[in-house]
Amino acid sequence: QVQLVESGGGLVQTGESLRLSCAISRNIFSSRAVGWYRQAPGKQRDLVATWTSSGSTNYADSVKGRFAISKDYAKNTVYLQMNSLKPEDTAVYYCNYRPFDGVDYWGKGTLVTVSS
């Protein structure tokens, strides 16, 4: 079992920044991918940013140039730096750990609210 604990969400105004953190109980090197997804009220959960074991990063078009995913291997922690936040970024943000075998693991989520 893999535990993921997100933190860093909160209420900010348009144009401000937040950094989300996700502490993972398993070595990041052991994953096929780690990343962030988000779910706005009444909508499906969508990819925000991911890092794969091949070294590639992927971002949703809506966040390119504003968000950045990073990792601290020593701490087994994944970060999401979010700049120039917009009201449409309001959502619950979930951390994801995808192993090479088995099902994905998810955190419980952290709420980001951007006021206009």
Side-chain angles (χ1 to χ4, degrees):
Q1 192 76 4
V2 181
Q3 309 296 325
L4 297 89
V5 180
E6 302 102 333
S7 61
L11 172 64
V12 297
Q13 295 186 335
T14 298
E16 294 185 339
S17 299
L18 278 176
R19 189 177 80 154
L20 305 183
S21 300
C22 175
I24 303 174
S25 64
R26 186 177 291 181
N27 195 315
I28 295 175
F29 280 118
S30 300
S31 67
R32 180 189 299 274
V34 292
W36 293 92
Y37 291 70
R38 67 186 181 187
Q39 187 168 17
K43 296 188 176 181
Q44 66 181 19
R45 189 174 299 185
D46 291 325
L47 180 148
V48 176
T50 60
W51 170 86
T52 70
S53 60
S54 64
S56 65
T57 55
N58 301 291
Y59 293 94
D61 288 342
S62 60
V63 306
K64 285 181 180 177
R66 299 189 298 123
F67 290 13
I69 188 171
S70 62
K71 309 161 295 296
D72 185 327
Y73 293 113
K75 296 181 179 180
N76 287 323
T77 299
V78 181
Y79 303 97
L80 183 68
Q81 179 66 43
M82 306 186 294
N83 299 325
S84 302
L85 283 162
K86 305 175 181 179
E88 50 264 44
D89 295 318
T90 295
V92 177
Y93 284 70
Y94 296 92
C95 185
N96 170 265
Y97 179 99
R98 179 164 297 168
F100 283 98
D101 58 345
V103 299
D104 285 12
Y105 293 91
W106 296 91
K108 293 183 178 180
T110 185
L111 177 63
V112 173
T113 304
V114 184
S115 64
S116 57

